[in-house]
Amino acid sequence: MIYIDDRLDLFDLDASLSLLSDERRERVMRYRNEGDRKRSAAAYILLCKALSEEYGIEEKPLFAYGEHGKPIIVGHEEIHFNLSHCREAVACAVADEPIGIDIESVHRYNEQLARYTMNDSEMEEILSSERPDTAFTRLWTRKEAVLKLTGEGLRTNMKDVLSGREDITTTVSPDERYVYSVAKDKLTD
């Protein structure tokens, strides 16, 4: 299941701190920027909501970390999850199988970055779009969702990340402020 919160302007960081595990509260408070603290706390609270609604889990989740730093819920290793946030929203995906999610704000289109990270067909898709900024963000979130699914994180050659993948869903917010993509652990042949 996918959970999105794009009403961060209403999020009360001070009131939310008691809802966080000690571990998460410490992590949240390490951020210097209040916006980053809010987004980190909001993402954790979204995970708590997802765990409650989907699995009936009411305790505050604690994390362990896999070999590539991907978090695992202690005591509930069978539940897969992923968190992401941008300036406009936070996203959480939970599933019974590995899953990756990425959410990004739509920013001004940067052709140099696009040429560095996109292959020829992706560049054609971007350049033929009425909204190159949204088209780029759509492809970028798809790539990051795959890399978050696998636990690889960003890598030097981003051009081939989507090769052979058809198991990614992408949503553009109605006002085109942000885009999110979800990747599941099924490669197509």
Side-chain angles (χ1 to χ4, degrees), residues 25-189:
R25 189 176 319 106
E26 287 175 22
R27 184 178 182 121
V28 163
M29 296 313 290
R30 276 189 241 141
Y31 286 106
R32 292 182 184 181
N33 178 290
E34 183 169 348
D36 291 334
R37 287 194 293 264
K38 283 176 94 170
R39 288 184 285 276
S40 181
Y44 182 87
I45 290 171
L46 207 55
L47 173 62
C48 292
K49 177 181 178 179
L51 293 173
S52 174
E53 291 181 8
E54 303 300 322
Y55 298 95
I57 297 170
E58 299 299 329
E59 69 264 14
K60 298 172 186 175
L62 300 176
F63 303 138
Y65 297 90
E67 73 176 276
H68 297 292
K70 189 170 182 172
I72 301 161
I73 301 171
V74 174
H76 298 284
E77 291 80 5
E78 74 284 1
I79 300 172
H80 300 269
F81 78 99
N82 205 227
L83 303 174
S84 185
H85 51 79
C86 65
R87 186 173 299 277
E88 284 74 30
V90 295
C92 173
V94 294
D96 295 328
E97 62 186 13
I99 194 162
I101 190 166
D102 186 53
I103 190 166
E104 298 287 340
S105 303
V106 175
H107 293 290
R108 192 170 141 237
Y109 174 64
N110 179 329
E111 187 156 348
Q112 183 178 3
L113 177 61
R115 291 201 180 278
Y116 182 73
T117 58
M118 303 294 161
N119 63 37
D120 291 342
S121 66
E122 293 164 345
M123 281 304 300
E124 186 177 316
E125 182 179 333
I126 292 167
L127 295 174
S128 67
S129 170
E130 289 183 26
R131 291 281 314 262
D133 54 347
T134 302
F136 172 81
T137 306
R138 182 181 169 283
L139 287 163
W140 180 265
T141 62
R142 293 171 70 79
K143 290 176 184 241
E144 269 211 57
V146 168
L147 295 174
K148 290 177 78 177
L149 163 74
T150 63
E152 293 178 73
L154 294 179
R155 58 186 186 173
T156 305
N157 184 7
M158 296 286 288
K159 292 183 179 190
D160 65 346
V161 170
L162 298 179
S163 179
R165 301 233 40 143
E166 295 182 13
D167 56 335
I168 307 165
T169 57
T170 302
T171 304
V172 178
S173 68
D175 57 6
E176 293 194 42
R177 288 184 309 136
Y178 62 88
V179 177
Y180 68 92
S181 292
V182 179
K184 295 182 180 174
D185 196 18
K186 293 179 184 165
L187 260 175
T188 57
D189 294 329

